[in-house]
Amino acid sequence: MGDDVRADIREFLGSRRARVTPEQAGLPAYGGNRRVPGLRREEVAMLAGVSVDYYVRLERGNLAGASESVLDAIARTLRLDEAEREYLFDLARAAGPARTRRSPALVVRPEVQQVLDAMTDAPAWVRNGRHDILAANRMGRALYLPVFEDPRRPVNTTRFTYLNPAAREFWRDYDQIANDAAAMLRLEAGRNPHDPQLIRLVGELSTQSELFRERWASRDVVFHRSGLKRLHHPVVGDLDLNYQSMELPSEPGLVMNVYTAPEGSPTADALRMLASWAATHDNPALADPSMVGRGRNQ
């Protein structure tokens, strides 16, 4: 097992243990100063029903061979949420014997592009776990115009968030977007720790953004399935969009994002204005031939 995976396990379990107080775990709080924040290792071991020596080995990075019941017990003891629990199990798999994994897709099938193009009123696009946008409809490219104006292909929303100064104006909730972007990328790193393109992306962001280094070091992970996205679009102004992220069963590792707004709302009116603008303007970012599906390269 690589030292990087061991370090991820050690730092993740240690950081999650540090945030759980004895009171939260139902343990008596004795007087005096505790030398560590949160729970001690022996307290986690007791609550999880394993020996102290065994838990210490686990937290040092030796998750290989840990049973599902042990991982479940540790997740409950450390009060892990759904995303954190999945990350823990991914780390355990990564700690085991090396297995051949399918790299995240680089392009999509033409049939997926046809589905996107059929959605003429709603902005939509497809991404992989690295946050590369692999395909989009015209409204999706119009909505994310500042992102698509980056000449690099495929465009990457996390690279835009951390390295493009325009991101702070585009994302009205910039701090939350930055938090979520790093946390989602951390979750993907648990699923595909040996993906060379993901490793290069994290290295690029870590080298060029102090903020990313801070957020990455937090070890936070999060799902990004639905919610409200608040943007400031350079053409139509402020938008409050509902988004849904849907995994594509026929395209492992790919997710489709679709954005909508309640009928009669200011954002719905702004989307119609955006559609009209996109239909009448000749902007390379709106008709990007590199986003058309050409078959899969996985």
Side-chain angles (χ1 to χ4, degrees), residues 32-43:
N33 295 324
R34 294 174 65 91
R35 289 166 44 186
V36 295
L39 297 177
R40 300 185 177 97
R41 291 186 180 91
E42 57 266 29
E43 291 169 334

Side-chain angles (χ1 to χ4, degrees), residues 255-269:
V255 173
M256 179 180 292
N257 281 19
V258 182
Y259 298 84
T260 59
E263 186 60 35
S265 67
T267 295
D269 294 338

